[in-house]
Amino acid sequence: MIRKHIVLVADLAGTVVFAIEGATTAIHAGLDLLGVLVLSFIVALGGGIVRDLLLGDTPPSAMRDWRYPVLAFVAGLVTFVWHAQVEALPALLLSTLDAAGLALFAVAGAEKALEFGIHPFMATLLGAITGCGGGVVRDMLLSRIPMVLVADIYASAALLGAAVLVVARRLGCPPAVAATLGGVVCFALRVAAVRFGWQLPKIA
Amino acid sequence: MIRKHIVLVADLAGTVVFAIEGATTAIHAGLDLLGVLVLSFIVALGGGIVRDLLLGDTPPSAMRDWRYPVLAFVAGLVTFVWHAQVEALPALLLSTLDAAGLALFAVAGAEKALEFGIHPFMATLLGAITGCGGGVVRDMLLSRIPMVLVADIYASAALLGAAVLVVARRLGCPPAVAATLGGVVCFALRVAAVRFGWQLPKIA
Amino acid sequence: MIRKHIVLVADLAGTVVFAIEGATTAIHAGLDLLGVLVLSFIVALGGGIVRDLLLGDTPPSAMRDWRYPVLAFVAGLVTFVWHAQVEALPALLLSTLDAAGLALFAVAGAEKALEFGIHPFMATLLGAITGCGGGVVRDMLLSRIPMVLVADIYASAALLGAAVLVVARRLGCPPAVAATLGGVVCFALRVAAVRFGWQLPKIA
């Protein structure tokens, strides 16, 4: 019972953090109020929607539970109205919350894919898509090459976290233990990568 | 019987207008004949296809009824061959027809979502997606930030029209009355926004 | 039995060629290792995934058979590690293999759509989408107008090949004969277009 509440709170918190990030990116890109709300929605829920379309679980869960879209829009609206205050939040706080959201979405996405009987290898990919998909669609809408494809240990952290969950589940761990393990690994790798400036190799 | 014919004619007219717009945009962007036909198809039918993918109603209705894609391609081909004449059409005529197409697609999309048992809040969003989705995919293909996110009262008019339909249906109005109400509100707001240059707020 | 093996080998070969192309494009665009792997996956399997989403055949077949994604990733990784050697391959070899991959994907996509009971006109479009969709998503990710919309006889070759298959099937040809006819026509038109620099008409 308490565990259920923890998961729900974590899920809602991840949605809010991602929606705030979508809104601030939209404001910097010169979008109007509608554009800000759309990007809040896309960054917060786009990854899960892409995952559900690929799984064939339609309508996507973000569209069946009205609380998620409403929360994303409210977070976007608040960011629009109090943007000066939101911009003043410490970068470290935001990047830490973002790493938490990424970890949460990646393990939740991989777990859902496993429950749908998807092969472990593809379930790992779907976990990373759940974590990073919203940001990729955001960058495509803003006519930019998606950040995750160019630099940073971001999708890689999501992949590793999802892989840990998938392996732990195959070894017989209960879902909560596997999710915690995968989430901690993803979070730790992402935070360390930001802290130490780790990058993936690139040619020339 | 007569009503059915009116809806069909309106639906086909909306498809033609949106296809012509897709074709003229493609010609200005320097696409070749195939690119012009693809954009005609996308602008005319893309919004409905995205809606149907999200609803899980596959194959999308635009792919089950061959008349819609054929009509979109013919409109695109005619625009390509007689582009000088199409360009000479008065802008006011085109923007009025476009507002009519937007209104029609928005209320049709919201009504279909309600029939699929979608929550009224999400049904309103799906109405707006049906009206604006084709233009968003067009802009993504042309590597531009989608117009509807940056300026103009366009998606907002679609949202309002869809919301009016959804509320009217909840209050017990028959579909035709609710659709007419929603469509008139969307059309009037869009035409007024073009006429008076209304914009949504934007930050700096 | 032998025929089955030929189809499988051809399918895997097409996947490898498209994955190599995705990887080289990604390297030239300055993506990191993860971006290179993502583009290998998208170019090799994106067209089939879009087709399956539109057909409602989810999860897409590229996600049910783990051999395809693994093959795409391995091809991308090999291209990343030995990029100098891959770049040194003769352009004619690559464009010929690419034409073969296009032909194969176009006829396979159209045949699958027919088996799903799709109208012949839309089945032809789905064949072309299967052949070209991966490249279109690649260009959208790289924030470029998709090549196939701007220049070259590429999507047109896929459309013609798919159309030949569809017509041959309607005339009663067995699948293998229809696929061979369609594939040869697509391949020959594409190779000839590259050789002679054929282009579709464009306005101004």
Side-chain angles (χ1 to χ4, degrees):
Chain A
M1 202 55 206
I2 287 173
R3 196 159 70 202
K4 251 196 171 166
H5 277 94
I6 292 175
V7 170
L8 183 67
V9 168
D11 209 14
L12 296 174
T15 302
V16 168
V17 173
F18 276 40
I20 291 173
E21 294 180 354
T24 52
T25 313
I27 291 170
H28 288 151
L31 305 198
D32 67 13
L33 174 56
L34 182 106
V36 169
L37 296 182
V38 169
L39 278 219
S40 304
F41 181 90
I42 294 269
V43 175
L45 306 173
I49 290 175
V50 171
R51 175 203 60 207
D52 288 350
L53 287 177
L54 290 170
L55 287 176
D57 182 35
T58 50
S61 52
M63 286 177 47
R64 273 175 309 197
D65 185 339
W66 59 270
R67 290 176 303 181
Y68 289 93
V70 167
L71 196 65
F73 285 129
V74 169
L77 190 62
V78 166
T79 306
F80 188 82
V81 174
W82 287 286
H83 61 102
Q85 286 81 344
V86 172
E87 303 276 352
L89 291 174
L92 185 62
L93 173 67
L94 284 181
S95 78
T96 307
L97 287 173
D98 178 74
L102 178 70
L104 182 86
F105 284 11
V107 296
E111 172 68 25
K112 177 165 182 176
L114 286 180
E115 282 164 17
F116 271 71
I118 300 289
H119 186 278
F121 178 73
M122 289 306 306
T124 305
L125 292 187
L126 282 168
I129 288 173
T130 309
C132 308
V136 169
V137 178
R138 172 201 64 201
D139 290 340
M140 290 175 78
L141 283 172
L142 294 178
S143 202
R144 299 171 182 171
I145 300 184
M147 187 63 73
V148 291
L149 302 181
V150 179
D152 257 344
I153 306 282
Y154 192 88
S156 323
L159 277 171
L160 188 67
V164 167
L165 171 129
V166 167
V167 170
R169 293 283 274 135
R170 298 279 282 193
L171 296 176
C173 284
V177 174
T180 307
L181 280 175
V184 167
V185 166
C186 172
F187 178 78
L189 174 54
R190 173 64 191 151
V191 167
V194 171
R195 174 73 186 76
F196 300 110
W198 291 341
Q199 299 282 340
L200 284 182
K202 196 186 272 202
I203 289 174
Chain B
M1 203 54 207
I2 287 173
R3 197 159 68 203
K4 252 198 172 165
H5 276 94
I6 292 175
V7 170
L8 183 67
V9 168
D11 209 15
L12 296 176
T15 303
V16 168
V17 173
F18 276 40
I20 291 173
E21 293 180 355
T24 52
T25 313
I27 291 170
H28 288 151
L31 305 198
D32 66 12
L33 174 57
L34 182 106
V36 169
L37 296 181
V38 168
L39 278 218
S40 304
F41 180 91
I42 295 268
V43 174
L45 306 173
I49 289 175
V50 171
R51 174 203 61 208
D52 289 349
L53 286 177
L54 290 170
L55 287 176
D57 182 35
T58 49
S61 51
M63 286 177 47
R64 273 174 310 198
D65 186 339
W66 59 270
R67 289 176 303 181
Y68 289 93
V70 167
L71 196 64
F73 285 130
V74 169
L77 190 62
V78 166
T79 306
F80 187 82
V81 174
W82 286 286
H83 61 102
Q85 285 81 346
V86 171
E87 302 277 352
L89 290 174
L92 184 63
L93 173 66
L94 284 181
S95 78
T96 307
L97 286 173
D98 178 73
L102 179 70
L104 182 85
F105 284 11
V107 297
E111 171 69 24
K112 177 166 181 175
L114 288 179
E115 282 164 17
F116 271 70
I118 299 289
H119 186 277
F121 177 72
M122 289 306 306
T124 304
L125 292 187
L126 281 169
I129 288 173
T130 309
C132 307
V136 169
V137 178
R138 171 201 63 200
D139 290 341
M140 291 175 78
L141 283 172
L142 293 178
S143 201
R144 299 171 181 171
I145 300 184
M147 186 64 71
V148 293
L149 302 181
V150 179
D152 256 345
I153 306 282
Y154 192 88
S156 323
L159 277 172
L160 188 67
V164 166
L165 171 131
V166 167
V167 170
R169 294 282 275 135
R170 298 279 282 194
L171 296 176
C173 285
V177 175
T180 306
L181 280 176
V184 166
V185 167
C186 172
F187 178 78
L189 175 54
R190 174 63 190 150
V191 166
V194 171
R195 173 74 186 76
F196 300 109
W198 291 341
Q199 299 282 341
L200 285 182
K202 196 186 274 203
I203 289 173
Chain C
M1 202 58 205
I2 287 174
R3 196 159 70 204
K4 252 196 173 166
H5 276 95
I6 292 175
V7 170
L8 183 66
V9 168
D11 209 15
L12 296 175
T15 303
V16 168
V17 173
F18 276 41
I20 292 173
E21 293 180 353
T24 53
T25 313
I27 292 169
H28 288 152
L31 305 197
D32 66 13
L33 174 57
L34 181 106
V36 169
L37 296 181
V38 169
L39 278 218
S40 304
F41 181 89
I42 295 268
V43 175
L45 305 173
I49 289 175
V50 171
R51 175 202 60 207
D52 289 350
L53 286 177
L54 290 170
L55 287 176
D57 182 36
T58 49
S61 51
M63 287 176 47
R64 274 175 308 198
D65 185 340
W66 59 269
R67 291 176 301 181
Y68 290 93
V70 167
L71 196 64
F73 285 129
V74 169
L77 190 61
V78 166
T79 306
F80 188 82
V81 174
W82 286 286
H83 61 103
Q85 286 80 347
V86 171
E87 302 276 353
L89 291 174
L92 184 62
L93 173 66
L94 283 181
S95 77
T96 306
L97 286 173
D98 178 75
L102 179 70
L104 182 86
F105 284 13
V107 297
E111 172 68 25
K112 177 165 181 175
L114 287 179
E115 281 164 17
F116 271 70
I118 299 290
H119 186 278
F121 178 72
M122 290 305 305
T124 304
L125 292 187
L126 281 168
I129 288 172
T130 310
C132 307
V136 169
V137 178
R138 171 201 65 200
D139 290 340
M140 290 175 78
L141 283 171
L142 293 177
S143 202
R144 299 172 181 171
I145 300 184
M147 187 63 73
V148 291
L149 303 181
V150 179
D152 256 344
I153 306 282
Y154 192 88
S156 323
L159 277 172
L160 188 66
V164 166
L165 171 130
V166 167
V167 169
R169 293 283 275 134
R170 297 281 281 192
L171 296 176
C173 284
V177 175
T180 306
L181 280 175
V184 167
V185 166
C186 172
F187 178 78
L189 175 54
R190 174 62 191 151
V191 167
V194 171
R195 173 75 185 75
F196 300 110
W198 291 342
Q199 299 281 342
L200 284 181
K202 196 186 271 204
I203 289 173

